[in-house]
Amino acid sequence: MLIAERLKAFRHYRKMSQGDIERRCGLLRCYISRVENGHSVPLIETLEKIACAMEIPLYAFFYDGEGDLKGNSKRKAFASGWGSSGPDAQMLAKLRVFLSRINEADINFLWFVAEKMAQKTKV
């Protein structure tokens, strides 16, 4: 399985454990193990979480060409901003876990509330 092999290879390249990925993106270590061993096929959204946790571009899981896939400068720039370390990172990790448990209607409602709150701060 292509995704399974690449996930494991990137994780080893980044010198990360499955637990490291679990802490960074909120996915359970046992699920990451199932994906790496080809027992589960992740959704694109799940792969995006894993890619973000490993600081690699999402396309790297599907990339078939020659060249360097060590990272993406945009992702590195984002990683140095809010939520990349300290209490903000802990709060963001908790938020990711909570958001992964809610349904699409609730996510849409949260987007609506966030947009309204952002409009109030612009005025």
Side-chain angles (χ1 to χ4, degrees):
M1 175 141 300
L2 183 69
I3 299 296
E5 293 169 2
R6 291 200 174 170
L7 173 57
K8 187 179 275 189
F10 284 128
R11 186 174 59 78
H12 286 271
Y13 175 79
R14 292 287 187 192
K15 295 181 174 83
M16 297 176 75
S17 68
Q18 292 173 346
D20 292 333
I21 295 172
E22 177 183 38
R23 283 185 289 283
R24 287 182 168 204
C25 68
L27 296 170
L28 295 175
R29 189 206 57 77
C30 59
Y31 176 74
I32 296 164
S33 174
R34 290 186 55 77
V35 172
E36 282 188 0
N37 290 302
H39 299 294
S40 292
V41 178
L43 297 171
I44 292 292
E45 292 84 0
T46 305
L47 275 179
E48 187 174 27
K49 288 179 184 181
I50 294 170
C52 186
M54 294 195 312
E55 298 178 354
I56 60 171
L58 177 61
Y59 75 86
F61 290 113
F62 308 101
Y63 186 72
D64 215 14
E66 302 292 320
D68 188 17
L69 289 175
K70 292 182 181 174
N72 180 322
S73 60
K74 288 182 185 176
R75 194 169 300 282
K76 287 180 183 176
F78 175 75
S80 65
W82 182 87
S84 62
S85 64
D88 294 338
Q90 292 171 346
M91 184 174 71
L92 186 58
K94 284 182 184 178
L95 182 61
R96 284 179 176 162
V97 171
F98 295 144
L99 289 175
S100 71
R101 296 179 185 165
I102 64 175
N103 63 39
E104 188 172 346
D106 291 337
I107 290 173
N108 291 334
F109 175 72
L110 284 174
W111 276 117
F112 173 77
V113 171
E115 287 174 359
K116 292 298 178 186
M117 290 174 72
Q119 288 174 357
K120 287 182 181 180
T121 59
K122 288 182 181 178
V123 176

